[in-house]
Amino acid sequence: MALSESSSAEPMDVNSHQPFPWPNSPQEPEGWKAEQLAAEAMASDLSKWIVFDPSECGADEIDKFLQINSPSVIQRSDGIGWISVLGPQFMEERPWQVEDVDKEGLQQAWEDMQNSGRPITFETVLDLARAHKCLSGKWLFHMDTGIKVDHAWASIAKAVVSGECGMSAKVSPHEDDGRARPRHVICVYNWDFTDEDTIIELEAGIRRAGIKCHMTYKPDAFTYMGIYRNNKWSLRPAIYASEYDLNHRRSKVTAVYETKR
């Protein structure tokens, strides 16, 4: 089901010409099961983060931060899990947005549901996320390592810090473990995956920043519950997809699931 089409003025050519099959998680090798992908994602989250917080150092320091912390240069083997930037929306709204978030309760309820033998569907997963106020989500896309990912990340990071795009964003560092095709994932966040208008607005902001590659939108609750591709419940781990038409210079957002209204 197509939701929207948006055009963007002169986006930069930062896309990969062969989009990574979706939906995927950071650096995931083909054939990995959801449990392996979840474990790798958790390891990144628990590792050191390099964070740009404009409330501490000033937004005008973003260029210096990006120059020092290019994702193609920062190595995963150095214990770095993510490079991240915070936007004005994050600082202004975080206190009341996260006040009632119950991540631990969500994970316990998810475990209980699996043990109960009850059917696990997209709707039941959404109900759990809503019940525990785990509503944040992100648009994400993958890129090969090198100058293109550095360029794309710089564009996104500046848009976030200036308040033009999302509440925060992060990029994975260079995966220097000998994989044949090192890739990065960039995630751009909003507060509420149930707010369709905000999700569409965020996608448009990412496109205005010059990103033209295939993107998917994933609720953070799916990440907390270990819902990645190749999962045993046959759930798709993204709820929206966005494709950019180079010929017509516009993107199209499509809902992955049909939801009950």
Side-chain angles (χ1 to χ4, degrees):
M1 177 176 63
L3 298 178
S4 75
E5 294 186 357
S6 61
S7 60
S8 56
E10 297 303 321
M12 294 171 289
D13 187 9
V14 297
N15 64 300
S16 300
H17 294 293
Q18 295 180 333
F20 208 46
W22 77 275
N24 293 306
S25 64
Q27 306 285 26
E28 55 186 53
E30 291 296 324
W32 275 29
K33 296 297 183 182
E35 292 80 5
Q36 294 170 291
L37 301 174
E40 183 166 273
M42 181 177 293
S44 293
D45 287 347
L46 294 176
S47 298
K48 180 181 177 181
W49 289 50
I50 300 175
V51 180
F52 181 81
D53 183 345
S55 68
E56 295 182 356
C57 56
D60 56 349
E61 293 292 313
I62 184 62
D63 286 326
K64 181 178 179 181
F65 174 86
L66 293 170
Q67 184 177 8
I68 297 172
N69 299 294
S70 297
S72 68
V73 174
I74 300 297
Q75 304 294 313
R76 180 70 181 92
S77 62
D78 289 333
I80 305 301
W82 296 100
I83 305 164
S84 176
V85 298
L86 308 180
Q89 189 185 128
F90 183 89
M91 274 77 76
E92 293 167 4
E93 301 181 12
R94 187 176 188 275
W96 59 268
Q97 288 284 4
V98 303
E99 182 178 1
D100 299 321
V101 172
D102 184 11
K103 178 180 175 180
E104 291 75 18
L106 170 68
Q107 291 171 327
Q108 183 60 57
W110 173 237
E111 184 176 341
D112 293 343
M113 175 176 284
Q114 294 177 76
N115 293 334
S116 72
R118 287 182 291 163
I120 293 176
T121 66
F122 173 62
E123 293 294 339
T124 58
V125 167
L126 288 191
D127 288 343
L128 284 182
R130 294 189 186 104
H132 295 277
K133 309 295 184 183
C134 294
L135 300 179
S136 59
K138 65 267 189 180
W139 281 104
L140 61 91
F141 56 95
H142 297 81
M143 303 193 73
D144 289 334
T145 196
I147 190 171
K148 282 192 174 183
V149 71
D150 292 342
H151 193 183
W153 170 241
S155 298
I156 289 294
K158 291 177 182 179
V160 170
V161 170
S162 67
E164 300 173 7
C165 179
M167 64 166 179
S168 65
K170 67 182 183 182
V171 61
S172 59
H174 180 253
E175 198 71 58
D176 53 335
D177 61 355
R179 295 181 190 182
R181 189 185 180 191
R183 294 179 68 87
H184 300 259
V185 62
I186 296 177
C187 304
V188 189
Y189 286 82
N190 74 315
W191 287 118
D192 190 349
F193 76 81
T194 69
D195 186 343
E196 194 170 271
D197 290 340
T198 300
I199 292 171
I200 300 302
E201 181 182 342
L202 177 57
E203 185 269 351
I206 296 170
R207 295 305 186 189
R208 285 194 297 272
I211 307 305
K212 297 188 291 184
C213 54
H214 173 86
M215 305 194 304
T216 57
Y217 183 89
K218 181 177 182 179
D220 283 340
F222 283 26
T223 300
Y224 302 153
M225 290 184 276
I227 300 174
Y228 291 82
R229 70 183 180 98
N230 297 331
N231 63 77
K232 59 185 177 183
W233 312 285
S234 299
L235 294 172
R236 292 187 177 184
I239 62 175
Y240 297 100
S242 172
E243 299 288 352
Y244 191 85
D245 187 330
L246 291 171
N247 292 324
H248 296 92
R249 303 188 67 78
R250 65 175 58 247
S251 61
K252 182 177 182 180
V253 177
T254 305
V256 175
Y257 291 92
E258 292 288 343
T259 57
K260 298 176 181 178
R261 300 292 184 183

